[in-house]
Amino acid sequence: KISENKINENIFYIFKKGDALINAVYTSADSKATVSMETVTTLPENMTQPSFEKVTDPSITQIKLEASIPEGMSYVIQLSDGTFFIIDGGWCDTNEKEADKLYDTLAALAGERDIVIAGWIFTHCHGDHIGTFNLFVEKYHDSVTIKQLLYNFPSDEDISNSASSYMLDSSKQRYGNFKYVISTYLGDTEYVKLHSGYKFYYADAEIEILQTLEDLYPQTVANYDFNSSSTIFTVKIAGQKMLFTGDVSDVGASRLNRVYGESLKSDFLQVAHHGLNNGGTIKTLYLN
């Protein structure tokens, strides 16, 4: 047994046997046990609180969109040890301005220190959440260190049968390009496939995964809104709890509320789907 976790009467275990990683989940609201097995991937760097040297006060920066960009999401959390935890990557533009803006933000916060991204997590693989990452890695991979990438995306087969099948092409803002830049420029960066119940740490930040696309099985993105494939998680740092919902729609939000209830209450909430329609509506998420 690697670890165990409990959130609102839901129980999560991680086991390892030979070359297999086994995730066992019991959700009380559904009276359901789910077990998944995969070839061992990298686990998050710290499953328990690590020791670290504090060099700065922690902070969160929401990267501002250009007026011409309709939507996007990108957050930078600077940890107390000076490293970074990044959430999503924003829109892909034609002049690399978004990638430059992200780099300039990191450089200003790092000061004289090297830019070290301890973890970079992605909610889902729509272009307004991975596009800037694609350009950033292509342009700045030699100027920064990215230690871990964390995500759980649908299979290519499921994507090809969904309304977002275009995400597999090689355009700069697509998932096809996302895979290309990782294989080309980030060969030494570890990949963590996320599962609900994972709780891990980067310096003084505690990250807890509440929901991934696997929790909607046997439904897939082929028969529900692609946005509900969003990985949903909390970040606790400096005595504050932040809930990140990605672009979750009613399908995912309804399950989230049913399974976690009152434990979802947070100090800060990232409003689902940029506050647009079908984004974890008031009835299915916020008022409950």
Side-chain angles (χ1 to χ4, degrees):
K1 185 172 68 174
I2 301 297
S3 71
E4 62 181 275
N5 191 16
K6 185 176 182 180
I7 313 171
N8 192 38
E9 305 305 317
N10 306 294
I11 307 169
F12 308 87
Y13 293 95
I14 306 172
F15 300 98
K16 182 179 178 183
K17 184 175 182 180
D19 63 352
L21 190 67
I22 298 147
N23 296 279
V25 177
Y26 174 74
T27 48
S28 178
D30 299 323
S31 298
K32 182 174 73 173
T34 305
V35 178
S36 64
M37 183 176 69
E38 64 192 44
T39 301
V40 174
T41 57
T42 304
L43 287 169
E45 184 174 13
N46 298 295
M47 303 298 285
T48 58
Q49 177 73 61
S51 59
F52 62 91
E53 179 185 357
K54 180 175 180 178
V55 298
T56 188
D57 290 326
S59 66
I60 181 168
T61 302
Q62 179 177 270
I63 305 298
K64 185 178 179 180
L65 292 173
E66 295 300 307
S68 61
I69 296 175
E71 67 268 341
M73 174 172 148
S74 183
Y75 293 93
V76 172
I77 296 177
Q78 185 174 39
L79 310 172
S80 292
D81 67 352
T83 65
F84 297 97
F85 180 65
I86 300 181
I87 301 166
D88 281 357
W91 193 260
C92 172
D93 57 357
T94 56
N95 58 12
E96 301 180 348
K97 195 170 184 178
E98 294 301 302
D100 294 340
K101 186 191 302 179
L102 177 56
Y103 179 82
D104 291 345
T105 298
L106 295 171
L109 289 167
E112 298 298 318
R113 297 181 295 273
D114 293 338
I115 298 174
V116 177
I117 300 166
W120 196 326
I121 191 171
F122 301 91
T123 58
H124 65 299
C125 59
H126 270 155
D128 57 329
H129 293 257
I130 63 171
T132 296
F133 168 84
N134 294 348
L135 293 176
F136 179 90
V137 170
E138 189 175 69
K139 186 170 184 179
Y140 291 110
H141 61 275
D142 285 334
S143 303
V144 303
T145 298
I146 304 175
K147 299 179 71 175
Q148 289 193 320
L149 301 175
L150 308 97
Y151 55 92
N152 188 342
F153 292 163
S155 67
D156 286 5
E157 180 181 0
D158 284 343
I159 294 175
S160 67
N161 291 318
S162 76
S164 295
S165 57
Y166 57 86
M167 292 309 304
L168 294 174
D169 72 37
S170 58
S171 302
K172 289 288 188 182
Q173 70 271 33
R174 306 299 194 211
Y175 179 44
N177 190 246
F178 178 89
K179 293 190 286 186
Y180 168 77
V181 298
I182 290 173
S183 62
T184 303
Y185 302 112
L186 300 180
D188 295 329
T189 299
E190 296 175 340
Y191 163 56
V192 177
K193 185 175 183 179
L194 295 170
H195 302 278
S196 57
Y198 275 24
K199 182 167 72 172
F200 52 95
Y201 301 82
Y202 293 113
D204 50 339
E206 176 193 287
I207 298 96
E208 197 163 44
I209 307 301
L210 302 182
Q211 185 167 289
T212 74
L213 57 89
E214 293 169 349
D215 297 309
L216 302 180
Y217 182 85
Q219 294 188 83
T220 72
V221 292
N223 50 39
Y224 65 73
D225 188 327
F226 197 95
N227 285 331
S228 271
S229 69
S230 293
T231 293
I232 300 171
F233 58 95
T234 59
V235 179
K236 296 177 183 176
I237 190 168
Q240 304 291 318
K241 177 182 175 182
M242 299 175 281
L243 175 61
F244 292 91
T245 62
D247 279 0
V248 68
S249 62
D250 289 353
V251 173
S254 295
R255 180 196 178 274
L256 186 75
N257 181 58
R258 184 179 73 255
V259 171
Y260 294 103
E262 291 289 318
S263 66
L264 291 174
K265 290 188 179 296
S266 303
D267 299 292
F268 296 91
L269 169 68
Q270 173 255 311
V271 177
H273 199 204
H274 324 285
L276 300 175
N277 62 316
N278 197 26
T281 63
I282 290 174
K283 181 179 179 181
T284 57
L285 182 58
Y286 303 119
L287 289 184
N288 290 332

